[in-house]
Amino acid sequence: QVQLVESGGGLVQAGGSLRLSCAASGNIFANDVMGWYRQAPGKQRELVATISTAGSTNFADSVKGRFTISRDSAKNTVYLQMNSLSPEDTAIYYCNLQRQFFKVMDYWGKGTLVTVSS
């Protein structure tokens, strides 16, 4: 099994920055893709960013140029650096680990709340 634990959420003023961390434990594969999703009240969960072991990344259009994702494979930890935050970024942010091994398997953290005030 895989356990994902997020940290770093909180309240931040518009225009500010915040860094989220996700520590993975359990049976981690070298080719697992990790990333972040978010869900605002009344909205469906959406992709924020992903990163592969090789370092390839994928970002939602809404965060391109503002957010960066990084991965420390030795520590099985991913980070999401969020800059130029706006109230529209307010959401619960979930860490995700996706494994493609004959079938796609997704593992999720419990989420961390990010609130951006005006």
Side-chain angles (χ1 to χ4, degrees):
Q1 288 298 119
V2 174
Q3 183 180 29
L4 305 173
V5 180
E6 304 97 334
S7 62
L11 176 65
V12 64
Q13 189 177 6
S17 299
L18 206 61
R19 189 178 78 156
L20 306 182
S21 299
C22 174
S25 61
N27 301 118
I28 310 302
F29 290 3
N31 63 343
D32 289 339
V33 175
M34 298 184 69
W36 294 90
Y37 290 70
R38 68 185 182 185
Q39 186 168 24
K43 304 294 188 296
Q44 69 177 30
R45 185 171 54 196
E46 66 174 352
L47 168 73
V48 177
T50 61
I51 184 168
S52 70
T53 303
S56 61
T57 58
N58 182 38
F59 294 92
D61 290 340
S62 60
V63 306
K64 287 181 180 178
R66 298 189 298 120
F67 291 10
T68 59
I69 187 169
S70 60
R71 181 173 185 171
D72 186 341
S73 295
K75 301 173 66 175
N76 290 324
T77 301
V78 293
Y79 306 92
L80 183 69
Q81 179 66 47
M82 305 183 292
N83 300 321
S84 301
L85 287 164
S86 73
E88 294 180 346
D89 296 312
T90 295
I92 299 175
Y93 285 71
Y94 296 93
C95 182
N96 167 262
L97 184 151
Q98 187 173 93
R99 178 171 298 162
Q100 191 166 356
F101 188 70
F102 297 103
K103 66 171 68 175
V104 175
M105 295 171 285
D106 282 287
Y107 301 88
W108 299 93
K110 294 182 179 180
T112 185
L113 177 63
V114 172
T115 303
V116 184
S117 63
S118 300

